Amino acid sequence: MLDNNVYNLYVYWNNTNFLCCYEACERMSRLASPFPEFSKFRLFKLSPPQILVGGFAAVILIGTLLLMLPFASASGHSLRFIDALFTATSATCVTGLVVVDTGTHFSVFGQIVILLLIQVGGLGFMTMATLFALLLKRKISLRDRLILQEAMNQSSMEGIVRLIRRVLVYSLVIETGGAVLLSLRWAADMPFGRALYYGVFHAVSMFNNAGFDLFGNYRSLTAYAGDSVVNLVVMLLIVSGGIGFIVMADLIEYRKSRRLQLHSKVVLSMTGALILTGAVVIFVFEFTNTRTLGSLNFGGKIWASFFQSVTPRTAGANTVDIAGMRQATQFFIIILMFIGASPGSTGGGIKTTTFTLMIGAVVSMLRGREDIVLFRYRLAQERVFKALTITLLALLLIVSVSMVLSTTEGHPFLTILFETTSAFATVGLSMGLTPELSDAGKILLCLTMFAGRLGLLTLAYALGPKQGKPLYKYPEGKMIIG
C-alpha cells in the first residue's frame, strides 16, 4: 500500500526536483521497514545513476574474469587482463572495438560470453533484471522503477514497466527475425549449423549496435559489400536498434492512434536525413577510390554507400576498408559517429535529438526568434541547456582523450581522433589503431567507452548528485556575445 502511495505522489509531482522526491521516498521506505536501523545500509541509499554505474561496472568485471579463463580462448591460453578488460568493456558498452580478433582468438565459450555481454549491455542490466523478476512474478518495487526510469532516459515512471515488457518483446522478435534471414543466407556459404550460429551472433550484435563479428582477420562484413540480403538485413537491424524502443512502440501503435509523438517525429526525420546525406557524401567522395567503392559495380557502390552511412549510427560493422577511405570521408564519418543514435536505444553518441535541438537553436537565433519550434511544438529552454551541456561535455572528453593518445600512441592525429570518437559514441568502427594500442591507451579507451555508454550526465549525477533548484535568482547581467 505504501509503495502505491509513494508512486502516485511521485507521478503527481513529476515536474519537481528528482532527487528531492527520491530522498522523500527513501525516508518513507525506512519508516515502513521493520528494521529501520538496518535499512539505511541497503542498496536503496544509492541514487539511480550510482546504481547504473555500479551495475555496468560489475557486469564488465564478471565478463573480464570469464574471458580470462583458458578455455575462453581458442589456443587454451589465458587472455591478458588488460585485453580481457578491453573486450568485456567493448562488448558491455556495445562498442565493437577489439584488441584481439573475435572470430579467431576466442573459443565458442568465449564468443558466447561476448554475446551475452552484448545482450545485457545493449538492453541494460536493469532491463534484464526486470525480465527475471517478471518471469518469477515478483513485484517491481519503487526503487526498481526509479532506476529503470534513469536507465531508459524517461521523464516519468508512469508506464515504465509496460515499456520494459515491450522492449523485451521487440528485441526478441527483431533479433529472431534477423537471425533467421542471415542464417538462411549464410547456409549457402557454410554448413547449416555454423550458419545458424553466425546468424544468431550477428543478429544480436547488429541489433544492439555492437559491431562484433566472427569472420576473422578484422574483416567484418567486407566479403558481402555487394550482397543485397546481408546489407538490407543488417541495416534494418542497426536502424531498429538505433532509433530507440520508444519510437518502435510509437510506430506499432500508430495504426490505432494515427499520430506520432514529437520525439518520434524528430528521431525518424533526423535519422532519415543523416542516412541519406551520409550515403550521398560517401558515394561522391569514394566513387573513384579503388580501395573502397572504386572496385565495386554500380549496385555495389549504392549498397556500400548506404551501409557505411548507416553503420556510424553506432553499429561498428563495415563492408569496405575504413582505413582506405579518403581523409575527407573519414572526417565526415567522425561527425556522423559523434551524433550517434537516438535516446532510449542501444546506441551512443550525443543522440539525434540533441543534434536536432542544437540545429533548432541556431536556426531560431538566425531568424531572431526566442523559442525553438519543431513540428509546431515549442521546446523548453531547459532542453536547450541540457543539449548544450551534453554536446560540450562530449567535445571536451573527445578532445582531451585524443590529446593524451597523441602523446602515448605514435599514429596520425586523424586516426586517433577517429578511434576516440568511435569509442565515445560506442560505434566500433576502426582505422586499425585499436589492436596496436599501448596498455595506457587501452585503459583510456575503456574509460571513454564506459562514459559514452552510460552518458556523461549520468556519470556526473553519479559522482556528484544534482542539487535542488535554488529558491532565489540573481539579477540579470549583460555580456557582449559574438
Side-chain angles (χ1 to χ4, degrees):
M1 183 67 181
L2 181 63
D3 281 347
N4 291 332
N5 291 335
V6 176
Y7 174 76
N8 292 332
L9 178 64
Y10 179 89
V11 173
Y12 181 77
W13 290 102
N14 183 47
N15 293 326
T16 62
N17 183 268
F18 172 81
L19 289 179
C20 291
C21 180
Y22 188 83
E23 290 171 359
C25 295
E26 179 182 0
R27 292 175 184 175
M28 295 183 71
S29 177
R30 289 180 183 177
L31 292 174
S33 172
F35 305 102
E37 293 299 322
F38 175 76
S39 65
K40 65 182 179 180
F41 296 102
R42 296 184 306 169
L43 187 62
F44 194 82
K45 290 186 64 178
L46 299 176
S47 66
Q50 290 171 335
I51 294 175
L52 287 177
V53 172
F56 267 95
V59 172
I60 291 172
L61 179 59
I62 294 172
T64 301
L65 297 177
L66 291 176
L67 292 177
M68 288 180 64
L69 296 174
F71 49 84
S73 300
S75 62
H77 299 291
S78 297
L79 188 64
R80 294 174 60 227
F81 172 78
I82 185 64
D83 292 335
L85 175 64
F86 191 97
T87 305
T89 304
S90 182
T92 306
C93 298
V94 290
T95 304
L97 291 175
V98 293
V99 290
V100 293
D101 187 65
T102 309
T104 58
H105 185 277
F106 291 102
S107 64
V108 174
F109 172 81
Q111 293 169 358
I112 292 176
V113 169
I114 292 174
L115 187 65
L116 293 176
L117 291 176
I118 291 172
Q119 189 70 84
V120 173
L123 299 182
F125 79 96
M126 275 304 300
T127 302
M128 301 303 294
T130 304
L131 169 62
F132 289 110
L134 293 174
L135 291 176
L136 296 174
K137 297 183 179 180
R138 294 184 56 185
K139 184 180 179 182
I140 308 300
S141 66
L142 172 66
R143 180 191 65 183
D144 296 332
R145 294 172 189 269
L146 287 168
I147 301 171
L148 287 171
Q149 176 193 343
E150 180 71 20
M152 298 303 294
N153 197 20
Q154 295 294 290
S155 58
S156 171
M157 286 192 305
E158 188 175 7
I160 190 67
V161 177
R162 184 171 62 253
L163 175 62
I164 295 301
R165 288 196 183 99
R166 290 179 177 177
V167 166
L168 296 170
V169 172
Y170 298 162
S171 301
L172 178 62
V173 171
I174 295 174
E175 289 176 354
T176 301
V180 170
L181 294 175
L182 290 177
S183 299
L184 292 176
R185 168 59 188 88
W186 286 329
D189 301 335
M190 59 186 74
F192 182 76
R194 185 182 178 190
L196 180 61
Y197 176 58
Y198 272 43
V200 172
F201 187 97
H202 290 89
V204 174
S205 178
M206 299 309 163
F207 174 74
N208 288 283
N209 284 207
F212 281 83
D213 71 275
L214 300 178
F215 290 100
N217 300 319
Y218 306 102
R219 291 181 301 167
S220 191
L221 299 175
T222 52
Y224 300 94
D227 192 298
S228 58
V229 175
V230 173
N231 276 268
L232 185 60
V233 172
V234 172
M235 284 193 291
L236 287 176
L237 287 171
I238 293 171
V239 173
S240 298
I243 60 175
F245 300 107
I246 303 168
V247 178
M248 277 193 279
D250 208 15
L251 288 173
I252 292 175
E253 293 180 354
Y254 178 77
R255 291 184 301 176
K256 297 180 180 179
S257 63
R258 291 298 175 182
R259 62 186 299 272
L260 292 176
Q261 299 178 17
L262 173 63
H263 172 80
S264 299
K265 292 179 181 179
V266 171
V267 167
L268 293 173
S269 58
M270 181 53 66
T271 299
L274 289 173
I275 291 175
L276 182 59
T277 303
V280 171
V281 171
I282 293 172
F283 183 84
V284 172
F285 284 4
E286 298 295 318
F287 188 85
T288 59
N289 187 352
T290 56
R291 297 180 62 184
T292 55
L293 303 187
S295 59
L296 302 174
N297 57 34
F298 188 79
K301 287 181 172 65
I302 296 295
W303 281 118
S305 298
F306 271 97
F307 194 95
Q308 266 56 235
S309 178
V310 168
T311 196
R313 300 269 67 72
T314 81
N318 58 283
T319 57
V320 299
D321 182 18
I322 301 298
M325 287 181 166
R326 295 189 170 100
Q327 288 189 351
T329 312
Q330 292 168 346
F331 187 75
F332 179 73
I333 290 179
I334 289 176
I335 297 174
L336 292 180
M337 292 192 298
F338 181 75
I339 298 171
S342 302
S345 71
T346 58
I350 63 171
K351 303 297 189 297
T352 53
T353 50
T354 302
F355 180 70
T356 303
L357 201 55
M358 298 298 293
I359 295 297
V362 173
V363 172
S364 296
M365 179 60 67
L366 292 178
R367 291 182 176 181
R369 298 177 178 175
E370 294 183 357
D371 297 326
I372 299 176
V373 179
L374 297 174
F375 296 99
R376 297 183 179 180
Y377 283 93
R378 178 178 56 86
L379 298 178
Q381 195 176 41
E382 178 187 357
R383 300 292 178 181
V384 182
F385 289 152
K386 185 175 182 180
L388 180 63
T389 302
I390 291 173
T391 303
L392 289 181
L393 286 177
L395 285 172
L396 180 61
L397 176 64
I398 291 174
V399 169
S400 301
V401 173
S402 298
M403 290 175 62
V404 175
L405 289 179
S406 297
T407 305
T408 61
E409 316 298 325
H411 288 268
F413 181 76
L414 183 61
T415 302
I416 292 174
L417 179 63
F418 191 100
E419 223 81 0
T420 303
T421 308
S422 180
F424 164 75
T426 68
V427 178
L429 290 176
S430 175
M431 292 175 61
L433 171 61
T434 302
E436 302 176 8
L437 285 172
S438 63
D439 287 348
K442 292 175 183 176
I443 293 174
L444 194 55
L445 280 194
C446 280
L447 295 174
T448 306
M449 289 187 288
F450 190 75
R453 178 65 184 97
L454 285 168
L456 296 176
L457 288 183
T458 299
L459 283 177
Y461 293 157
L463 297 176
K466 184 172 62 174
Q467 301 297 320
K469 294 182 180 179
L471 301 178
Y472 55 89
K473 288 186 177 181
Y474 290 99
E476 182 177 337
K478 294 184 179 180
M479 185 173 62
I480 300 175
I481 303 295

